[in-house]
């Protein structure tokens, strides 16, 4: 399963780089405020979404936290860059469909591959240090919210993670998760 996770991460990094380049070309010098990988609660689908600083400024009059709510963002590159990763996930799922007892472990590994891909892109300067990064579900269960909250601190600086936690009113949950060691 580790090989699978590394393969997915590699495919995701490639797709992230391509979509980031498209976004940069499309929006020119307008800096990215945020970039997110989104999925569903089974972590079977993958798409990306982004928002630029000027997009956030225009909409902040109506919702001052719009830059932190990735499901509201409207800017993106071409999601077809994620097709290879998606196909690999589906093939792996189909190979292990009769192993229902391993579903949670496999779901968590897929989510972790998304987190690690964004983390690698941050560390290799695909994204600058001011861009908010996140991974989350479009309509999250409590458990996927837990995974997303944990990821905030792993893929953002402490300052960005604190801004995001404050904007989403999840500061209490972050401290709760860190105390439990989860």
């Amino acid at each position: 399963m580790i090989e699978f996770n590394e393969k997915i991460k590699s495919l995701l990094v490639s797709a992230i780089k391509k979509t980031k380049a498209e976004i940069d070309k499309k929006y020119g010098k307008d800096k990215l405020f945020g970039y997110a990988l989104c999925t569903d609660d089974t972590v079977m689908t993958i798409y990306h979404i982004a928002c630029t600083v000027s997009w956030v400024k225009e909409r902040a009059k109506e919702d001052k936290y719009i830059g932190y709510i990735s499901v509201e963002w409207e800017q993106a590159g071409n999601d077809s860059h994620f097709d290879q990763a998606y196909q690999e996930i589906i093939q792996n799922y189909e190979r292990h469909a009769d192993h229902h007892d391993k579903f949670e472990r496999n779901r968590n590994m897929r989510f972790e591959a998304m987190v690690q891909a964004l983390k690698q892109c941050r560390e290799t300067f695909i994204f600058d240090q001011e861009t908010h990064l996140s991974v989350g579900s479009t309509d999250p269960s409590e458990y996927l919210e837990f995974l997303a909250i944990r990821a905030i601190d792993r893929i953002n600086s402490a300052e960005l993670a604190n801004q995001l936690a404050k904007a989403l009113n999840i500061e209490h949950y972050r401290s709760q998760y860190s105390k439990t060691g989860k």
Side-chain angles (χ1 to χ4, degrees):
M1 229 16 179
I2 292 173
E3 287 177 23
F4 165 74
N5 213 37
E6 284 299 315
K7 184 173 186 178
I8 294 298
K9 179 180 125 181
S10 176
L11 291 169
L12 290 172
V13 167
S14 176
I16 292 165
K17 287 178 180 179
K18 290 173 184 173
T19 56
K20 172 67 166 61
E22 288 176 352
I23 291 166
D24 288 347
K25 185 176 180 182
K26 191 173 186 177
Y27 298 104
K29 296 182 186 210
D30 196 359
K31 251 179 113 163
L32 265 188
F33 185 88
Y35 183 100
L37 292 179
C38 302
T39 189
D40 57 79
D41 275 3
T42 63
V43 191
M44 297 292 290
T45 60
I46 303 170
Y47 73 94
H48 78 291
I49 199 74
C51 63
T52 59
V53 169
S54 63
W55 185 91
V56 171
K57 283 182 182 177
E58 288 173 22
R59 285 152 186 84
K61 296 170 194 141
E62 296 171 23
D63 182 352
K64 68 181 181 178
Y65 297 120
I66 193 76
Y68 304 97
I69 308 169
S70 60
V71 295
E72 298 292 331
W73 301 346
E74 300 171 351
Q75 297 170 307
N78 187 339
D79 270 327
S80 69
H81 296 299
F82 291 93
D83 287 352
Q84 275 189 288
Y86 173 72
Q87 289 304 317
E88 190 66 30
I89 287 170
I90 295 301
Q91 289 171 10
N92 182 270
Y93 177 77
E94 289 171 352
R95 281 192 302 270
H96 299 95
D98 58 340
H99 300 285
H100 297 291
D101 58 321
K102 295 180 181 174
F103 173 79
E104 289 179 0
R105 180 181 66 119
N106 292 341
R107 177 203 55 208
N108 293 352
M109 287 183 74
R110 291 188 298 271
F111 192 91
E112 181 63 18
M114 295 172 78
V115 171
Q116 289 299 317
L118 278 177
K119 185 175 180 182
Q120 181 176 328
C121 288
R122 167 82 77 204
E123 291 169 350
T124 57
F125 306 104
I126 303 303
F127 297 100
D128 65 36
Q129 295 302 310
E130 291 84 38
T131 303
H132 290 265
L133 300 178
S134 63
V135 179
S137 175
T138 52
D139 187 20
S141 65
E142 188 175 313
Y143 186 70
L144 259 285
E145 282 183 352
F146 162 74
L147 292 178
I149 291 168
R150 270 193 5 191
I152 290 169
D153 291 298
R154 297 174 59 210
I155 57 180
N156 293 290
S157 68
E159 181 182 348
L160 289 180
N162 289 337
Q163 289 172 10
L164 188 58
K166 184 176 180 181
L168 298 177
N169 198 25
I170 58 172
E171 293 158 308
H172 166 74
Y173 299 105
R174 280 175 69 220
S175 62
Q176 176 186 358
Y177 293 146
S178 65
K179 286 178 187 172
T180 61
K182 293 182 179 178

